[in-house]
Amino acid sequence: GAGVSQTPSNKVTEKGKYVELRCDPISGHTALYWYRQSLGQGPEFLIYFQGTGAADDSGLPNDRFFAVRPEGSVSTLKIQRTERGDSAVYLCASSLGGWVTDTQYFGPGTRLTVL
Amino acid sequence: AQTVTQSQPEMSVQEAETVTLSCTYDTSESDYYLFWYKQPPSRQMILVIRQEAYKQQNATENRFSVNFQKAAKSFSLKISDSQLGDAAMYFCAYRSPGGGADGLTFGKGTHLIIQP
């Protein structure tokens, strides 16, 4: 595709439910990042993939959050036992490689609302 | 850990005028990269401009330029000849030279309003 795509665009769920958020990076990009943007805040780093492996998951807030990228392309962010505090926009970005000079291209995000 | 501070929650400017958005950061590293990203209502973050800390020359991209003061740890964005399409949230971001690990560290953003 032409850019990074994320589905769904919006997700409303109830407290305690499980959700999956999908990210489709730019074709050929080996690096993939997930960020969380709470209302009125800048994006906050969650996890970085280089290929299929999570090279850095230090930003994941707790063990309810998990992400995979099994074939080195599409990634899924999984949130178990959702809480109201998980409500935010979840942004995905990809870059050609993991070098700091590689521009990160962002998707439009998924707005998650936990009731 | 690095921190990025944007002290202006909102700025307003008349169309065609110049506006400067402020950003300061805190780091113990000597080499790093700084960025300005634009986020329109569509939510998609777009890279506006990038500055490498080892470069003394300020980066410019058409109407966008930065004033990078390394000693003061300041990185402001100047937008010349403001246009209606410039209206958006602007985020200052920091990245360590190590690359992938840590991702980008963002400030809270400045909401830029363009008055026609």
Side-chain angles (χ1 to χ4, degrees):
Chain A
V4 178
S5 62
Q6 292 185 245
T7 54
S9 178
N10 292 281
K11 175 71 177 179
V12 180
T13 191
E14 294 179 343
K15 180 176 179 294
K17 299 289 188 182
Y18 168 83
V19 296
E20 289 189 351
L21 312 179
R22 176 189 167 109
C23 172
D24 222 315
I26 293 172
S27 178
H29 281 194
T30 63
L32 186 145
Y33 305 81
W34 283 98
Y35 294 85
R36 179 169 69 174
Q37 186 174 19
S38 301
L39 191 63
Q41 304 292 319
E44 179 186 22
F45 169 76
L46 296 177
I47 187 169
Y48 156 61
F49 286 91
Q50 180 57 253
T52 60
D56 181 6
D57 64 358
S58 61
L60 294 178
N62 51 61
D63 61 6
R64 295 186 298 106
F65 288 75
F66 189 71
V68 296
R69 195 186 185 199
E71 298 179 358
S73 178
V74 171
S75 177
T76 305
L77 178 65
K78 308 180 181 193
I79 310 174
Q80 298 178 319
R81 304 182 304 279
T82 52
E83 299 178 356
R84 292 196 179 87
D86 298 336
S87 295
V89 173
Y90 289 82
L91 297 168
C92 175
S94 72
S95 63
L96 191 59
W99 299 107
V100 66
T101 51
D102 290 332
T103 297
Q104 292 187 28
Y105 296 89
F106 284 79
T110 293
R111 182 180 298 280
L112 175 66
T113 303
V114 182
L115 301 176
Chain B
Q2 295 80 22
T3 59
V4 177
T5 301
Q6 293 179 249
S7 58
Q8 306 155 314
E10 187 174 279
M11 291 284 284
S12 182
V13 64
Q14 290 290 128
E15 192 177 3
E17 292 189 346
T18 296
V19 63
T20 298
L21 308 184
S22 301
C23 173
T24 58
Y25 56 93
D26 188 24
T27 183
S28 59
E29 296 174 319
S30 59
D31 192 19
Y32 46 86
Y33 291 74
L34 297 166
F35 306 81
W36 279 98
Y37 275 85
K38 170 184 178 181
Q39 187 178 42
S42 66
R43 299 197 306 238
Q44 196 150 7
M45 303 279 279
I46 302 164
L47 178 65
V48 174
I49 199 165
R50 180 177 75 191
Q51 174 80 41
E52 293 88 344
Y54 66 85
K55 289 187 177 178
Q56 293 186 337
Q57 186 173 7
N58 289 322
T60 62
E61 287 287 342
N62 301 313
R63 298 184 294 108
F64 299 86
S65 62
V66 299
N67 183 4
F68 173 50
Q69 301 290 328
K70 190 172 184 180
K73 296 181 181 175
S74 171
F75 182 60
S76 60
L77 174 69
K78 185 171 85 170
I79 306 174
S80 304
D81 185 26
S82 299
Q83 300 175 0
L84 294 177
D86 295 333
M89 286 293 295
Y90 284 81
F91 292 93
C92 178
Y94 174 104
R95 193 167 188 197
S96 295
D102 297 336
L104 292 159
T105 300
F106 288 88
K108 288 188 176 183
T110 296
H111 181 210
L112 179 62
I113 298 168
I114 310 295
Q115 305 278 7

